[in-house]
Amino acid sequence: MTKVLFINPVVREEDVPRHVPYGIALLAAIAIREGHQVQVYDANAWRLGEDTLREVLRADDWQAIALGGITTAYGSIKQIVKVARAECPQAVIMLGGGVLTSLPKEVMTWLPEIDVGCVGEGFVTFPEMLDMVDSGQRDWMKIAGTISRDSLGRLVLSAQRGLLENLDSLPYPAWDLFPLEEIYFKNSQMLFSPEGMMAKRRLDINVSYGCSMICRYCYHLGIAGDMRYETDETGEVAVSFDQPGSYSRSIRYHSPDYIVRMIKHIHDKYGVDFVLFLDENLMTMDQHSGRTWLKDICRLLHESGLAPVPEFDESGQLAGWKGIYWSGTSHATLCTKEVLKTMRAAGCSHLVYGYESFSSHVLKTVGKGSTPATNERSLFWTLEAGIRPVPNLIIGFPNEDFQSIRDNIKALDRLGISVKPHFATAYPGSEWFTTYRDSLTAQYNGDLEAYILELGDATTISGVISKNFTAVELIGLRELQLQGNLRLIDAYETVWKSRQGL
Ligand code: B12
């Protein structure tokens, strides 16, 4: 039995904490099931600074300290492991999650405090790591899906970890270990739909892994098919991600029965009134299942009495509901009118759509398979079904140009919507990170870690992958696109062309 402290690093500091870290909560539940002693310090939820972190680290005789997170949590992880190493010199410090999986060797090099990393899926690897700590041995190479240091201090990758076949064998996440009442339920609201705005007790669930798309800015977690182990001519094993033209995808999802039982569990146990599906693209799974998955989830929501019954005040405004409303992400080319209506009847309040652009020549390079027409069609189908579509746009694609910006302005005007685009950002693990890595590193004076430290939520600009525009130009052009200012776009195009000698 190993005594392990999980630390959830700080992410998205500019907003209040809104999401229980699903991966950590699942791994904690698995470790408890295997008989280990687990405690969680949710640094992201509490945000109490280094003194409290030190107190937590001193509070017990931790044998293992486990951290995980996405790439944008790297800065927080870097600070935490320094303090953890100083306070708990004997503990095994382990790291997993997208931050490590997308750049295993680099992150292990930058963070010498980490003893062992979990590359890819942690469901089986993590309990094996805890057993190893318990045994007193440190032979990490015996555990597939790890990266560690050999006796000479060189980084070594063990064999690739296979994916868990039967997702329904997973326990429910250990939500009890997180400050639900103190922090998370207070931040339940999602400002994307009236029901989301009125949510009082929201929890998130993740019920599928993988996506059929090959969006070049997206990272498939390294566990859903985009990661491969390769041996170079010197015999060294390295991890690589999607390269142009080479893709493989693995798509897995929980059964509708498991999903609705879990929703019923959190509704009955915690009084949850709103569920956010974290899944990247619910429609991929639906299509993969032969269009039965979402229909069955919706049917079971009705049969379990979870489909919401709205209550209205005297003026006809939504005042509350019995049951649960829910939301998630959809996809322009994969949604159907029928499934959207079925989802609405079962309580779906809003769906996020990554439209990215309304320009054909840009969309052709993104890898999503969508067109301006499928984007527009899905927006109306979703509205007609009574669900709020939440459109996302990106500016600064490699082939972004004046025409694509005009295309966006005209489409937004025609549709009557306003969207402030994110900046195209190549997060580690994405195809565009592989393609533009050298250029991105050069933009940070050869220091890749500096780029990683600057990555945030792409509302501010970091590394640029646009072939036509600089960071300064993109900031200005985003503003003009938002304003729909075609006059200044035309004027700037003239200046830009003369500077390019065109
Ligand atoms: C929830 C979520 C968020 C949440 C919270 C993240 C969190 N701390 O929990 C919020 C809203 C903050 C968020 C924001 C963003 N996100 Co986000 N997010 C997700 C999402 C939808 C789900 C994460 C999840 O819970 N997955 C399920 C669990 C089970 O997987 P997991 O956490 O990876 O854990 C597994 C393994 O990694 C491993 N593991 C994890 N931790 C540990 C620890 C140890 C010790 C071990 C051994 C193993 C281990 O074991 C687990 C089981 O296999 C993912 C997509 C996805 N479907 O995963 C994107 C994703 C992580 N997000 C992503 C991105 C790009 C963003 C944004 C930049 C988007 C934007 N433009 O705003 C912002 C960043 C904001 C910021 N300023 O930091 C990318 C990450 C790319 C990258 N290289 O890091 C993803 C992969 C989406 C994508 N496909 O591109 N996100």
Side-chain angles (χ1 to χ4, degrees), residues 12 22 67 70-72 97 121-122 218-219 278 280 427-428 457:
R12 203 175 243 177
Y22 203 79
L67 295 103
I70 67 178
T71 300
T72 56
E121 196 160 278
C218 184
Y219 167 48
L278 294 171
E280 292 289 75
Y427 290 95
D457 66 3

Side-chain angles (χ1 to χ4, degrees), residues 352-392:
V352 174
Y353 284 88
Y355 289 146
E356 325 312 6
S357 175
F358 282 96
S359 181
S360 326
H361 67 279
V362 165
L363 282 176
K364 269 190 196 138
T365 64
V366 172
K368 228 180 180 129
S370 57
T371 62
T374 56
N375 282 354
E376 292 195 19
R377 185 184 74 181
S378 69
L379 186 95
F380 288 110
W381 283 358
T382 309
L383 282 171
E384 282 158 22
I387 297 173
R388 295 257 169 161
V390 182
N392 253 318

Side-chain angles (χ1 to χ4, degrees), residues 31 64 148 161 183 216 232 250 295 348 377 437 469 476 497:
S148 55
R161 167 66 67 183
I183 309 280
R216 297 189 165 87
D232 67 15
S250 145
K295 218 188 285 169
C348 180
R377 185 184 74 181
R437 180 173 172 150
F469 301 124
K497 278 189 171 156

Side-chain angles (χ1 to χ4, degrees), residues 116 127 129 173 179 220 321 331 333 335 483:
V116 55
M129 288 159 87
H220 291 248
W321 59 86
H331 190 273
T333 59
C335 66
Q483 292 171 10

Side-chain angles (χ1 to χ4, degrees), residues 55-120:
E55 276 178 44
V56 173
L57 289 163
R58 286 177 198 154
D60 212 329
D61 193 8
W62 309 110
Q63 292 164 279
I65 295 169
L67 295 103
I70 67 178
T71 300
T72 56
Y74 176 74
S76 170
I77 290 169
K78 191 175 165 89
Q79 287 171 356
I80 292 171
V81 295
K82 281 200 173 22
V83 180
R85 183 42 81 225
E87 293 293 341
C88 307
Q90 304 306 322
V92 172
I93 302 185
M94 31 183 86
L95 176 69
V99 62
L100 180 104
T101 297
S102 61
L103 288 171
K105 289 199 170 164
E106 292 81 349
V107 168
M108 289 293 284
T109 306
W110 297 330
L111 304 180
E113 298 85 2
I114 309 278
D115 295 301
V116 55
C118 167
V119 183

